[in-house]
């Protein structure tokens, strides 16, 4: 697959009309029958999510932490594949594993000193490319990390705005 040819008309369009490159993605959560689960609609698919087993969920569906790490794994995986292909680096396997550590006592409000959320996240790229040169692999690492949207968003968090709409009788 020639990624450069595939992306060339898009890049040309975005250079001609920079506003065409701006997009807004939307995800919407909706409650289910129990406060321990919800559905998440990303516009092209509907996912079921629930609270982690460590905070009372059943453990049968992805928790929000799983979805966050999954988004990072998917983005890193796709970005690495695309960059390797665009750079002409012959690979036999690319696999990304993401792990995150958290202390649930923060989430459960047991300890005010324990942060809510992930304390550490590790992204491991497992690349099988026996014909690639060390320079190619360094370039792949640099570009894959540079262009991974989710990784860069987590490393340089955007301004997040929270709005509430309430209805009262």
């Amino acid at each position: 697959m020639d990624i450069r040819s595939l992306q060339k008309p898009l890049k040309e369009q975005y250079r001609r009309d920079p506003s065409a490159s701006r997009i807004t993605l939307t995800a919407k959560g909706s409650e289910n029958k129990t406060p321990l689960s919800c559905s998440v609609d990303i516009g092209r698919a509907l996912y079921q999510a629930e609270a982690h087993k460590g905070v009372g969920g059943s453990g049968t569906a992805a928790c929000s932490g799983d979805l966050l790490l999954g988004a990072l794994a998917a983005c890193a995986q796709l970005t690495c594949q695309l960059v390797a292909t665009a750079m002409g680096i012959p690979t036999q396997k690319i696999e990304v594993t993401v792990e995150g550590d958290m202390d649930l006592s923060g989430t459960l409000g047991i300890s005010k000193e324990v942060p809510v959320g992930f304390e550490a996240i590790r992204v491991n790229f497992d690349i099988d490319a026996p014909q690639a040169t060390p320079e190619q692999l360094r370039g792949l690492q640099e570009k894959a990390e540079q262009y991974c949207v989710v990784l860069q968003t987590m490393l340089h968090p955007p301004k997040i705005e929270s709005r509430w709409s309430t209805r009262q009788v």
Side-chain angles (χ1 to χ4, degrees):
M1 176 178 284
D2 184 5
I3 300 298
R4 291 177 194 264
S5 294
L6 181 69
Q7 292 180 344
K8 184 179 179 183
L10 295 169
K11 288 180 177 185
E12 289 172 355
Q13 177 189 4
Y14 300 157
R15 284 185 185 108
R16 276 192 321 274
D17 179 10
S19 66
S21 69
R22 302 192 59 80
I23 64 171
T24 299
L25 300 177
T26 302
K28 182 178 183 177
S30 299
E31 66 182 319
N32 288 343
K33 295 177 184 176
T34 168
L36 293 169
S37 67
C38 71
S39 60
V40 180
D41 184 348
I42 62 167
R44 293 166 300 286
L46 187 65
Y47 295 92
Q48 296 306 309
E50 69 175 33
H52 188 274
K53 191 173 184 174
V55 297
S58 70
T60 60
C63 74
S64 54
D66 294 326
L67 296 173
L68 177 72
L69 298 181
L72 177 54
C75 190
Q77 178 75 38
L78 290 168
T79 303
C80 193
Q81 290 172 186
L82 285 163
V83 170
T85 301
M87 292 177 70
I89 298 173
T91 61
Q92 293 181 358
K93 179 184 87 169
I94 297 174
E95 189 172 271
V96 175
T97 303
V98 179
E99 298 174 315
D101 303 324
M102 72 171 75
D103 183 336
L104 295 176
S105 64
T107 300
L108 289 173
I110 295 169
S111 172
K112 299 273 187 212
E113 287 75 43
V114 175
V116 175
F118 287 101
E119 298 170 319
I121 295 176
R122 293 170 299 286
V123 183
N124 181 57
F125 291 80
D126 183 12
I127 312 296
D128 186 1
Q131 298 172 343
T133 67
E135 294 78 27
Q136 285 178 311
L137 294 173
R138 276 193 295 278
L140 176 59
Q141 178 181 357
E142 177 187 324
K143 297 295 185 196
E145 290 180 2
Q146 177 183 358
Y147 294 117
C148 178
V149 171
V150 177
L151 177 63
Q152 289 301 316
T153 300
M154 293 174 84
L155 289 171
H156 309 284
K159 176 184 162 204
I160 297 178
E161 183 180 315
S162 176
R163 292 184 236 154
W164 290 65
S165 298
T166 58
R167 292 186 187 96
Q168 296 176 318
V169 180

